[in-house]
Amino acid sequence: MKYYLIVGEASGDLHASHLMAALKVEDPQAEFRFFGGDLMAAVGGTIVKHYKELAYMGFVPVLLHLRTIFANMKRCKEDIVAWQPDVVILVDYPGFNLNIAKFLHARTQIPVYYYISPKIWAWKEYRIKNIKRDVDELFSILPFEVEFFEGKHQYPIHYVGNPTVDEVTAFCTEHFETRDDFIFENKLESKPIIALLAGSRKQEIKDNLPDMLRAASAFPEYQLVLAGAPGISPDYYREYIGDAKVKILFGKTYHLLQQAEAALVTSGTATLETALFRVPQAVCYHTPIGKVISFLRRHILAVKYISLVNLIANREVVKELVADTMTVEQVRAELERILYNKEYRQQMLDGYEYMASRLGDAGAPRHAAQEMVRLLRK
């Protein structure tokens, strides 16, 4: 069968690549065409557009690139119709993907599957109408989404487990690097490590990295190591590093988390990855209009938390320093608790265990692929 996949960022590229590999097991004749990234290309198929040409975040960047965004949508729609796949698989990235789903539902007979559902339980819940109308099957990777979609909105979905569990489990099974080896290989100091995960988009890095560095630099007995995001150049990072003493490592985020004593992490999949590596963390997410965002968060957002760790556990496991609460002083104070308060660290690690128990066992890409192929062959 022919599978057309659409992703819009690095995490989508990772998850989609594993789904594609699982689909090849279930369907050895599988053909792939996609808007995606290097990891998907490594599995096989034809890349039509790289996600780096799609990822615009924030009102102003989106506004400035509207012509490009619309041109990419037009190209995607035309390419799907020309190729006539057996299914289109959308991966997260709702602003773009829901527009594609609407077009396909209205103009074609091609089924639309959504893998890693849009987070409408946090924002823009009205999109449930579009999903019900335009998405044939939805595959969820977060356990609390079952109650939201099926219980609240009477829209049946498939909970397949969380692919990040598979990714972290596979890495830990295959890699037995010691801290000394990691330090030697990457020319680091012989100090314990504070990991910095400042996001995968330029705007996130610009907003978060400077304050994260100022806060973490208050602990000279630790060394700072920054996880470089795919598609972001070292020169871009240097604009915001200033005089801070920090080492940047690209393509080694999991290696870094395996050795870190603590981490400062922007919200997103990285918070879940950090928790699965059992690294105590503080979630940091700065916005230029912090007080306004904090007001919106209290009065408009439908959820109490922004980090996947807390959302999955349904309680505060990690401290979220967001908008006007993300200051250098508060980040520094939280990092001090994480590093030196043994009881506080253990409480967080116990919370990680509880969160992991709610996710279930590994096998999400396999479960999703099996169900997708079964449905398509009906």
Side-chain angles (χ1 to χ4, degrees), residues 319-366:
K319 189 75 172 179
E320 297 179 353
L321 301 170
V322 182
D324 63 337
T325 65
M326 191 208 161
T327 64
V328 173
E329 293 74 20
Q330 292 205 54
V331 174
R332 185 183 297 137
E334 180 63 15
L335 190 51
E336 184 174 7
R337 281 192 289 270
I338 288 171
L339 292 171
Y340 298 113
N341 187 326
K342 291 182 180 180
E343 184 178 347
Y344 189 75
R345 283 177 66 91
Q346 189 57 52
Q347 185 179 12
M348 190 177 294
L349 294 174
D350 291 342
Y352 287 170
E353 295 298 330
Y354 174 70
M355 179 214 70
S357 72
R358 290 172 64 88
L359 283 173
D361 298 329
R366 183 181 73 254

Side-chain angles (χ1 to χ4, degrees), residues 30-328:
E31 298 177 54
F32 300 110
R33 192 172 177 88
F34 49 87
F35 274 43
D38 300 333
L39 296 176
M40 296 168 72
V43 177
T46 301
I47 183 167
V48 180
K49 204 80 162 176
H50 201 286
Y51 71 79
K52 287 186 286 189
E53 300 178 61
L54 307 176
Y56 300 107
M57 179 184 176
F59 178 77
V60 174
V62 168
L63 194 63
L64 292 174
H65 294 90
L66 273 178
R67 181 176 295 180
T68 301
I69 292 168
F70 287 136
N72 287 335
M73 283 184 179
K74 183 173 184 291
R75 170 79 186 283
C76 185
K77 292 169 184 175
E78 291 173 348
D79 196 60
I80 292 170
V81 171
W83 198 54
Q84 284 295 302
D86 292 286
V87 64
V88 171
I89 302 173
L90 311 174
V91 183
D92 204 359
Y93 198 47
F96 189 97
N97 276 335
L98 285 175
N99 182 283
I100 299 298
K102 181 179 179 180
F103 167 82
L104 292 173
H105 175 80
R107 304 288 184 86
T108 77
Q109 298 298 313
I110 302 168
V112 175
Y113 290 2
Y114 218 125
Y115 181 61
I116 306 181
S117 57
K119 298 172 181 62
I120 63 169
W121 35 264
W123 186 254
K124 298 183 179 179
E125 190 170 344
Y126 63 83
R127 282 176 164 171
I128 186 64
K129 294 180 180 178
N130 302 69
I131 291 172
K132 283 184 171 182
R133 182 190 65 213
D134 302 328
V135 176
D136 295 280
E137 303 287 345
L138 190 150
F139 300 81
S140 164
I141 65 169
L142 296 170
F144 60 84
E145 289 183 334
V146 177
E147 173 56 30
F148 175 81
F149 284 104
E150 295 189 349
K152 185 175 183 180
H153 291 290
Q154 293 76 56
Y155 178 69
I157 66 172
H158 310 269
Y159 177 65
V160 294
N162 194 288
T164 305
V165 175
D166 295 79
E167 290 147 14
V168 172
T169 300
F171 179 88
C172 291
T173 301
E174 296 166 6
H175 294 82
F176 303 98
E177 190 176 32
T178 67
R179 197 182 80 169
D180 288 343
D181 289 340
F182 179 73
I183 286 172
F184 177 78
E185 181 183 339
N186 295 289
K187 299 179 174 61
L188 302 175
E189 299 178 71
S190 56
K191 293 180 180 180
I193 295 167
I194 296 174
L196 305 177
L197 285 75
S200 60
R201 299 183 178 100
K202 287 185 175 181
Q203 188 66 40
E204 290 177 323
I205 294 163
K206 175 179 178 290
D207 289 342
N208 290 288
L209 182 56
D211 283 352
M212 292 168 76
L213 284 167
R214 291 187 191 100
S217 295
F219 305 92
E221 62 274 34
Y222 289 83
Q223 61 182 318
L224 310 185
V225 183
L226 172 63
I232 306 295
S233 72
D235 287 340
Y236 186 80
Y237 281 108
R238 291 189 190 103
E239 291 182 41
Y240 303 102
I241 287 174
D243 297 329
K245 190 176 181 181
V246 60
K247 176 85 171 185
I248 310 174
L249 297 181
F250 288 91
K252 295 189 176 182
T253 300
Y254 280 11
H255 294 82
L256 172 58
L257 288 173
Q258 196 173 46
Q259 306 301 334
E261 286 290 311
L264 299 180
V265 189
T266 59
S267 184
T269 305
T271 64
L272 178 57
E273 291 170 327
T274 303
L276 290 172
F277 274 100
R278 307 311 194 256
V279 180
Q281 66 181 298
V283 176
C284 310
Y285 205 90
H286 173 80
T287 60
I289 48 172
K291 290 185 178 179
V292 174
I293 298 299
S294 288
F295 175 84
L296 294 174
R297 185 183 174 201
R298 289 193 301 271
H299 297 283
I300 296 178
L301 288 183
V303 292
K304 293 187 291 184
Y305 308 110
I306 67 160
S307 70
L308 287 177
V309 177
N310 292 344
L311 284 164
I312 293 165
N314 196 30
R315 61 182 173 89
E316 186 180 77
V317 175
V318 298
K319 189 75 172 179
E320 297 179 353
L321 301 170
V322 182
D324 63 337
T325 65
M326 191 208 161
T327 64
V328 173

